[in-house]
Amino acid sequence: MTETMLLDAFRRTVPAGALQIVEADDALGLPIAELPDGSRARIDLRWAGLGFPRDVAAALGRTTRKADDTVLVVCAQALSDGSRRLLDELGVSWFGLDGAASLHIGTIWVARDARAAPPAPSVDFRWSAARADVAEVLLEIVAGGAAWQDGRPRVADVETLSRLSGRSLGSVSGTLAGLDTSGWTEPGPEPRSRAVADPSGLLDSWSGWQRRLPSTWASFHVLDRNPTRIEEQLASLFGSGLILTGSAVSERVRPMLTGMRPVTAYVDMDGPALDAAAARAQMLPAPAGSIRLRPAPSAVANTSRVVDGRREASPIRVYADLLAGSERDQEAADAYRSVELSVFA
């Protein structure tokens, strides 16, 4: 999100005619708001990504350009409840691209709820299933600590990305060229090599696209309400083909969810085989069951890992699946990212 895009979003949030924004030409370089009473205020706009507490803390922690009349304003895709409470307690103005806002700039006060679900981020890069598979593998390798000697995250070679993602060499090359153009990757220290220039931005864009995809999970109901026992039953049914994700993984890393939670997992088989196995186990299809399953895409299966005898999806995939869940899952995603994906902080 560039400063120009932030400023445009701010203009759309403030009621028409409430104030006028002019570009500043002083040493601070901040836009100036001219208020109806004739006073002026410099606006320090901070982008907080998806709007979780981790994103807000990062935005607040950046070096600021201060003056006595500076007003700090935080913007995000959509501010979570925890982030709103934090900003309100600090007395910091904020607004989301979903339409929600709490602004207090001089005599101007704006308070409103979201209009609807947040719109897709305005980026030139066009995501597709093939590009997303390549990016998922790239991000997982970065999460594993792959880096050049200068410390920049390392982009794996085209052949490795193709093999793990299940996509053609041409698809991988095209994806990498798009990532370069978008500023997420850049030339590495060796000939024909690449480094990740903006790990957090790439993860946010990829996971945001995953979050907006229509759900393809098959939901089932079972009588048992204990998630641990359900996981054991699924492991007995699907064996090493079961790949746990979402809260089934995050709760072992950093417990946050209380009460009943669905068990979400990929199965390393095609759809008809999965349905047949579920039928044999007398798992009943249900709109909102305690089990959610789907066949594992190549990128998920090939980046999975075995932890304490359980096969789990990669931390990148676990984070994306949590982010696509309920608000409780999304808060768990933020906590999980801070522990397992610190390279993307």
Side-chain angles (χ1 to χ4, degrees):
M1 179 67 76
T2 66
E3 290 188 8
T4 299
M5 293 166 64
L6 271 178
L7 190 56
D8 288 342
F10 178 71
R11 284 193 177 102
R12 291 192 298 270
T13 301
V14 178
L19 51 76
Q20 183 177 359
I21 302 294
V22 296
E23 296 292 338
D25 58 358
D26 59 8
L28 296 178
L30 296 175
I32 294 176
E34 295 182 345
L35 280 62
D37 63 359
S39 62
R40 286 188 164 201
R42 289 178 174 83
I43 309 298
D44 187 358
L45 293 169
R46 306 289 186 88
W47 175 244
L50 295 176
F52 292 114
R54 172 195 58 82
D55 303 312
V56 170
L60 294 175
R62 297 189 193 116
T63 302
T64 184
R65 297 165 289 183
K66 287 185 176 179
D68 292 340
D69 60 353
T70 298
V71 177
L72 180 61
V73 180
V74 172
C75 172
Q77 279 293 119
L79 279 299
S80 69
D81 288 342
S83 294
R84 295 183 187 192
R85 288 193 297 269
L86 170 63
L87 292 169
D88 289 342
E89 289 172 2
L90 294 175
V92 176
S93 291
W94 57 266
F95 69 96
L97 300 186
D98 60 350
S102 176
L103 300 172
H104 36 96
I105 304 169
T107 58
I108 303 299
W109 289 74
V110 178
R112 63 169 175 255
D113 294 328
R115 295 185 301 269
S122 297
V123 293
D124 293 334
F125 189 80
R126 292 184 178 275
W127 286 105
S128 65
R131 286 182 161 191
D133 285 345
V134 174
E136 179 170 355
V137 172
L138 186 160
L139 287 164
E140 176 52 28
I141 293 174
V142 169
W148 295 106
Q149 292 182 346
D150 59 11
R152 288 181 296 166
R154 180 172 184 166
V155 175
D157 59 77
V158 173
E159 290 76 13
T160 297
L161 293 175
S162 174
R163 174 173 54 83
L164 294 177
S165 68
R167 297 295 180 172
S168 69
L169 294 174
S171 291
V172 173
S173 297
T175 300
L176 294 178
L179 298 181
D180 288 345
T181 301
S182 299
W184 288 318
T185 54
E186 62 188 4
E190 298 180 0
R192 300 178 61 188
S193 69
R194 284 183 172 90
V196 181
D198 183 8
S200 180
L202 177 55
L203 176 59
D204 286 346
S205 183
W206 172 80
S207 59
W209 185 81
Q210 295 285 346
R211 180 184 183 184
R212 296 187 297 275
L213 290 175
S215 175
T216 56
W217 296 99
S219 183
F220 301 92
H221 173 72
V222 292
L223 295 178
D224 201 325
R225 296 179 60 83
N226 184 292
T228 301
R229 288 198 297 266
I230 292 175
E231 292 167 17
E232 293 171 352
Q233 293 167 13
L234 290 174
S236 297
L237 177 61
F238 295 109
S240 61
L242 183 72
I243 306 173
L244 295 168
T245 187
S247 60
V249 177
S250 67
E251 284 298 285
R252 295 203 176 195
V253 174
R254 187 171 178 178
M256 288 190 63
L257 305 177
T258 57
M260 180 61 188
R261 57 175 174 81
V263 174
T264 306
Y266 295 92
V267 182
D268 205 353
M269 58 178 61
D270 61 26
L274 191 161
D275 292 339
R280 288 195 301 272
Q282 297 183 330
M283 293 165 52
L284 303 177
S290 53
I291 297 175
R292 298 193 310 157
L293 302 174
R294 61 175 288 198
S298 296
V300 173
N302 293 338
T303 58
S304 65
R305 56 184 185 170
V306 177
V307 179
D308 296 332
R310 309 183 331 153
R311 191 175 176 191
E312 299 178 354
S314 72
I316 290 293
R317 172 50 58 176
V318 171
Y319 172 71
D321 288 339
L322 284 169
L323 203 61
S326 65
E327 185 166 332
R328 289 200 314 156
D329 289 334
Q330 292 167 15
E331 294 286 356
D334 184 52
Y336 180 80
R337 177 169 172 166
S338 67
V339 175
E340 291 289 277
L341 300 172
S342 57
V343 69
F344 300 99

